Amino acid sequence: ETLFALDQGNNDSEVSTISPLVTNATITPLPLAQGKTIVIRVETKQPMDLSGSLNGLELHFFQEAPNSYVALQGIYAMADAGLAPFVLRGSQGDTTLFNLEQNLLLRAGNYIKDPPLTVDPETIDPAITGPEDSKMASMTKPATPTKYWSKLFSHPLDGPILQCVEAGYGDRRSYNGGPYNAFHTGIDFAACDSNLNIYAAAPGKVVFTGLLVVRGNTTIIDHGWGIYTCYYHQSQISVKVGDQVQQGQLIGQIGATGRVTGPHLHFEIWVNGIQVSPIDWLSNVYP
């Protein structure tokens, strides 16, 4: 077995010498970066089970075609820059076919600092935010084997989209005079059009609707393969848990519920348990 050396200066690196049983593999993009969606593809000479981890997070591989597998993984926006461990294993039953361990370069995202925000103290109380964050992590953890989407995710509202962005993903946040130890986990779209409708960004299944202290009226849609979209602060929710929704389907109305300074839609995309930059999914087809 011959291990490989990644050319981490490239945006896409081929991995052709992991094992004689692996015909091709790629990690895109490289180097890794805070807030990015990472696509790992592996092609093999025979069927096998693939597993592994990236920066300590378990990877979930799904079959795209015969002997062709893909895993999607988000990189945490405040992950430490430096070296991130990557593990890739192939097996059949109890037999390990190959085992690769290597460090990958992870760079900073160079996100800006937003002006300090003043909010209701209850909405930054760890006794409130902790359980709510845990609830979100639990609901976005399952990697459903059915992939519901097949094309570019669409913007979740009407109007001149770029002009409607109030805050970007990854911006560092300070609340009520505290330190900049938080980040903005999605995109904020203002109600800058007379139409307040919110639409599903891609096909999927509704797995949560309800009122949360920080996130307000919330809808979560499972798109399969560990991908979820979340829609916060709504004034009205138009779907229910278990609904199968189509891309562009009306799911709610922009509002000002939860931790807000005014009416807007906070839109998130989770990739295998990590919030990533939604702009990437609105401008690139994954995987």
Side-chain angles (χ1 to χ4, degrees):
E1 176 179 336
T2 304
L3 301 186
F4 68 97
L6 288 173
D7 178 1
Q8 298 185 49
N10 294 336
N11 288 329
D12 184 3
S13 292
E14 289 195 358
V15 182
S16 57
T17 55
I18 300 173
S19 161
L21 297 176
V22 175
T23 58
N24 187 52
T26 58
I27 302 174
T28 309
L30 287 177
L32 310 177
Q34 295 171 337
K36 289 296 184 181
T37 296
I38 307 303
V39 181
I40 302 168
R41 277 195 172 90
V42 181
E43 297 176 7
T44 62
K45 291 183 178 179
Q46 64 189 51
M48 66 178 65
D49 296 319
L50 294 178
S51 61
S53 62
L54 180 59
N55 209 25
L57 298 169
E58 181 185 2
L59 296 171
H60 299 284
F61 283 89
F62 298 94
Q63 189 167 346
E64 280 191 301
N67 300 338
S68 179
Y69 308 89
V70 63
L72 298 167
Q73 181 59 60
I75 301 296
Y76 182 56
M78 299 186 81
D80 292 336
L83 296 178
F86 170 59
V87 176
L88 180 64
R89 297 187 182 93
S91 63
Q92 286 181 333
D94 295 331
T95 302
T96 299
L97 302 177
F98 66 84
N99 183 55
L100 167 72
E101 297 185 18
Q102 183 167 335
N103 288 326
L104 304 178
L105 180 63
L106 194 163
R107 64 175 177 81
N110 299 319
Y111 296 109
I112 66 172
K113 287 184 176 180
D114 282 344
L117 296 173
T118 301
V119 298
D120 182 344
E122 180 187 31
T123 64
I124 58 172
D125 181 352
I128 300 294
T129 61
E132 188 170 312
D133 289 346
S134 295
K135 183 181 183 73
M136 289 297 300
S138 175
M139 290 186 294
T140 56
K141 181 179 181 179
T144 307
T146 300
K147 178 175 176 281
Y148 294 109
W149 86 98
S150 61
K151 57 183 181 179
L152 190 70
F153 279 39
S154 57
H155 289 84
L157 74 170
D158 294 300
I161 299 300
L162 293 180
Q163 293 90 325
C164 292
V165 175
E166 282 188 323
Y169 168 88
D171 295 358
R172 292 346 191 193
R173 287 280 175 89
S174 166
Y175 294 105
N176 296 357
Y180 278 89
N181 60 358
F183 72 99
H184 193 231
T185 53
I187 298 176
D188 284 349
F189 292 107
C192 61
D193 189 277
S194 58
N195 191 340
L196 302 181
N197 290 341
I198 299 171
Y199 306 101
K205 183 177 182 179
V206 178
V207 294
F208 176 81
T209 62
L211 179 63
L212 302 172
V213 174
V214 177
R215 294 160 176 86
N217 282 324
T218 295
T219 299
I220 303 177
I221 300 175
D222 178 6
H223 304 285
W225 285 19
I227 310 303
Y228 294 80
T229 53
C230 302
Y231 311 77
Y232 301 160
H233 311 310
Q234 298 174 79
S235 63
Q236 177 181 324
I237 298 173
S238 303
V239 291
K240 64 183 184 301
V241 172
D243 284 354
Q244 292 287 153
V245 297
Q246 300 304 311
Q247 186 169 29
Q249 180 176 330
L250 178 68
I251 62 171
Q253 299 279 310
I254 291 176
T257 56
R259 186 174 67 197
V260 297
T261 56
H264 69 280
L265 167 67
H266 177 101
F267 175 62
E268 286 184 0
I269 296 183
W270 292 63
V271 176
N272 201 23
I274 300 294
Q275 298 127 314
V276 300
S277 172
I279 291 296
D280 290 340
W281 283 79
L282 298 175
S283 54
N284 299 283
V285 178
Y286 290 93

